[in-house]
Amino acid sequence: MSDATELAPAAASDGAVRKPHLYLVDGSAYIFRAYHRLPPLTNPQGTPVGAVYGYTTMLWKLAQDLDDADGPTHLAVILDKASQSFRHDLYADYKANRPPPPEDLVPQFPLIREATRAFSLPCIEEDMLEADDLIASYARAATRRGWDVTIVSSDKDLMQLVGRCADPDDGVEGGCIDMLDTMKNARIEIAEVVEKFGVPPEKLGDVLALMGDSVDNVPGVRGIGPKTAEKLINEYGDLESVLAAAPEMKKSKMRENLIEHTEMARLSRRLVQLKEDCPLPMPLDEFALDGIPKEPLANFLSTHGFTSLLKRLGAGSPSRPTDLNPAKPANAAAEAASGTRQPLPEWPAVDLDAYECVTTLDRLDAWIARAFAAHAVAIDTETSSLDSMQAELAGISLALGPNDACYIPLAHGSDDMFAEKPQQVPKAEALARLKPLLESDAVLKIGQNVKYDLTVLQRCGIEVAPVDDTMILSFDLDAGRGGGGIGQAHGMDSLSQTHLGHTTLTFKDICGTGKKQILFSAVPLDKATRYAAEDADVTWRLHRVLRQRLADEGVTRIYENVDRPLIPVIAMMERNGIKVDREHLARLSGEFAEQIASLEAEVHEMAGESFAIGSPKQLGDILFDKMGLKGGRKGKSGQFSTDQTVLEKLAGEGVPMANKVLEWRGLSKLRSTYTEALQQAINPGTGRVHTSYSLVGAQTGRLSSTDPNLQNIPIRTETGRQIREAFVAEPGNVLLAADYSQIELRLAAHMADVPPLKEAFADGEDIHARTAREMYGEVTRDTRAQAKTINFAILYGISRWGLAGRLGTDAEEAQAVIDRYFERFPGIQKYIVHTLERVRETGYSETLFGRKTHFRNINSKNPNERAGAERAAINAPIQGTSADIIKRAMVRMMPALHDAGLGHARMLLQVHDELVFELPEGDVAAASPVIERVMADAALPSVELSVPLGIEIGTGHSWGAAH
DNA sequence: CTGGTCACG
DNA sequence: GACGTACGTGACCAGG
């Protein structure tokens, strides 16, 4: 058994022999369901494997249950083999109107057997017998022996068997039969059958005979459906009694039908009767489970590109959850599609005339039906604003393939009451029809920055899921590689250019810019269609290109486990927003304005003239030319620098004006950026401030926040802190702020393996004091401050000049400090050297969770560029790992709070190492430990850190008070 | 549209 | 040997 996993044999861990429990898997029925519920996937050879993937994860799940008390001791898969069975002899039209299986399902049938063999499980199929009959016969045989049986299926015919025990005549205590629906993870027992059909399992056959079954073409009695059948059987006892009583019933259509179709009912009864005495092709005992050998399974998983299952297999027992989101159907797309290595198909060039403008409900329905069939659709919403919390929907575009795209205008022409409104599908009706598509688990929705569309559509009552995002795919693959490295690197226009060689229409081309800019809803439909449908088309193509690279480049882990599940979480936080006290801000603004005015007057008087203090140019001229002060430094623009350090130096030399200017600057900054701008940012609809987070804003994987930026609200000075008081909770609620304490230093201690630092964190010591003790032998105010500076210097990629500047010494002395640090903590130096080697070699750095950041200048000939890239490369794994950890915490947070019965808590903000919540005052005590646990354990189970993650929690009516 | 400055982690 | 004198962001203002 050296080759086998520890999957349990038929003995419980305490050594007692368990009562045998046979699982019979209805394989054929399963793949049909899997096919319709999962997105279309292909393996590396280009064979469709979506249903096979679903089937494989189902077997995997069953294997995980081996140790459970009611898990399998014996297991077999039963398949339909023959197209003919004895039922066709009874009724020639049996299953006659069943359509042929979909084209891309056919090649998957043989793979089901392959998958079953890969798990080393027996697979049973017989000519002239349907899977149902084999299952019934095996179930019967097993219960006779006193075994319990679970039928893995949700087929209603099989529900006739539920609960049935062996004949007491056999002299054995019979076993029981239940069913398991693995997709819904639901057990079906007698109560569930009664709930569904209104009769116990032994009468189900009679009900099924009356109602018939359109799928199998069992005729039943015309006009009788499940409800009538249930009523009749419950009233008369069984089918024959119903038929016998028919002539006595009061005159009705039903009575006539019963009389006319009596024979059809009897025939149907025989068709739905399960054959329980089939010869058993393989004896029951051979179904015994004896561990699942790894090797054939691994071969199978790798052949078909099921990489995450493969990894879990490699990690040991498949019965242990290894990470977030284990095997969700939505992630199957990632799984198999990413394993695809086939060359991209030759696509036709983008053809703007190929797109359809959808203006009728019939055409809309046709597109929706095709999207369901395709299991994946690129979507794009057109609106009136970049602010997704205020945007009004103008239309939606869909794409199903290259040049196979449409635009559905919904509100064009509505802004101009004099213009003639073009014909459009009524908005409410169109949204009602799109809703099932956009919310269907079985259809992947692809977007470029799909978080935006999520919010716009959520405000229309549609919860879009599951989603994939080409912008985030691009970021996870190529962070740091992008052209100029500016924000647009992962924008659609540049992605289209790089990956498709296609120049897209820009929004400016369509709507103009500046004062002449018009709303998208004012654009004529033909023009709007070309632009909007092109976006969806390009998004669809980009998805193909980027998805394909994911597994090859080892980026699946960070995308699937961290960034992708974060999309709906961030969308929710943005929608939540945070309440801001406008009066508080207005009052501060007024106070600041007065002080600014008086400072301005003083400065002008000192200068002897009136000038713009906010102009560095004018200020520089006044200070250094007119007043002739020394210490002026000129930058490359030839201008005097007037930044804080310069002014502080002047102030120290006794220039009173410098202090006044500094004060003026501080207050102006606070007033313009915060007290004034924040009032403007309050959403009139919600009365709250809704920032917008970018998941691709920072090369390291951090989030960034804009419109407004809520990640740089003042806290360091007392005046600034007053602004935080304006962020408040609703009445009866409080804000709760939870911070990771020193997370980057902790990560550095772990990643560079520095025992004394790890020890200090484990013991809850003051980390800077410990550093001082290690370096200087004693802890004084001075040495601690120096240690703190150098600790941060390490995180930022150290240079002797930089450190010298901070310590106020020269470079030589700074170098000595660095040397001392490396001597005491050799792990740090090794980490830096090793990290740089790797980055020079590969071009990118990696976080503990596999996030890559590329450094184009790491081998640059320009020493400044190179040194800059090196510092960034040392910092990125640490800053990035910290970002990964808090993102993982965010993904898990709401489910954890919900499970703890804290559904009223809302997550509002993220500030890199801090999460801000709003919750009822009474929930604080219960929520705090949940939040702390989720944050502290966020690295697990992917990464086991050798330092604890410390969390600090504060609460208060305002954000300021919560710190 | 760019550079300088300064708010945050 | 000297340097743009630390990493990552975003907003505002002045000036061209």
Side-chain angles (χ1 to χ4, degrees), chain A residues 188 191 222 309 399 460 508 529 633 639 671 686 780 803 940:
Chain A
I188 300 163
R222 182 142 37 118
L309 288 179
C460 298
K508 271 196 294 190
T529 298
R633 290 184 289 120
Q639 240 186 63
R671 185 174 133 89
T686 66
T780 66
L803 186 61
L940 298 171

Side-chain angles (χ1 to χ4, degrees), chain A residues 893-909:
Chain A
M893 191 60 77
M894 294 319 291
L897 287 169
H898 226 270
D899 288 352
L902 297 160
H904 292 296
R906 288 186 292 174
M907 185 157 62
L908 309 185
L909 303 178

